Amino acid sequence: MRLRESLALARGQIAWILALVVSTGIIIQLERVDFQGRLSLLERNPLAGMEAGTGDAALESARAAYAQSPDDPLPQAQMLTALTLAALSDGPDALRVEARAVLAAVSPDSDNTVLNAAIALAETAFATR
């Protein structure tokens, strides 16, 4: 019997050993990955450390950027997101009025997914639809 014939007869066993080696390598690599650290980022509440009134600085910054260029999509998205975060932490009625005014002035842009997401977030938070 030659080597080629022997390998052809043992091909099932060779394939099983190769699969065992590959799966063992995959398991070793998965054990090295820290999934818990990544999952804890998803479980944290981004508003947990925010006290009432601490979102004012972000809101004031967004207001200033929006006042300078109200037609630019980036300040529009920043303004809507800051209003939404401020409303979720404090929730005064004045923010609802301001958010409705900004939403009335902003129109969705088919090319700007960030602006569209900010509009959807603000509409959901302020229940304008």
Side-chain angles (χ1 to χ4, degrees):
M1 205 184 277
R2 292 204 253 159
L3 178 64
R4 184 171 286 187
E5 293 171 356
S6 300
L7 289 176
L9 290 174
R11 67 180 175 250
Q13 288 84 3
I14 293 171
W16 185 82
I17 290 172
L18 284 175
L20 183 64
V21 169
V22 169
S23 65
T24 302
I26 291 171
I27 290 171
I28 289 171
Q29 290 300 321
L30 286 175
E31 286 180 354
R32 292 182 181 176
V33 176
D34 181 26
F35 289 114
Q36 190 60 36
R38 292 181 185 174
L39 288 176
S40 67
L41 292 175
L42 299 174
E43 293 172 356
R44 278 190 279 172
N45 181 1
L47 300 175
M50 186 182 291
E51 298 174 15
T54 58
D56 292 340
L59 183 57
E60 290 305 318
S61 173
R63 282 180 180 147
Y66 181 71
Q68 287 180 352
S69 54
D71 295 329
D72 189 14
L74 182 61
Q76 291 173 347
Q78 289 173 341
M79 182 65 174
L80 289 172
T81 305
L83 282 169
T84 305
L85 287 175
L88 290 175
S89 62
D90 296 335
D93 290 332
L95 290 177
R96 294 187 184 283
V97 173
E98 187 176 2
R100 288 190 178 117
V102 173
L103 282 170
V106 173
S107 60
D109 184 5
S110 61
D111 295 332
N112 195 333
T113 56
V114 174
L115 177 60
N116 293 338
I119 291 170
L121 178 68
E123 286 176 345
T124 302
F126 295 106
T128 58
R129 279 199 175 184

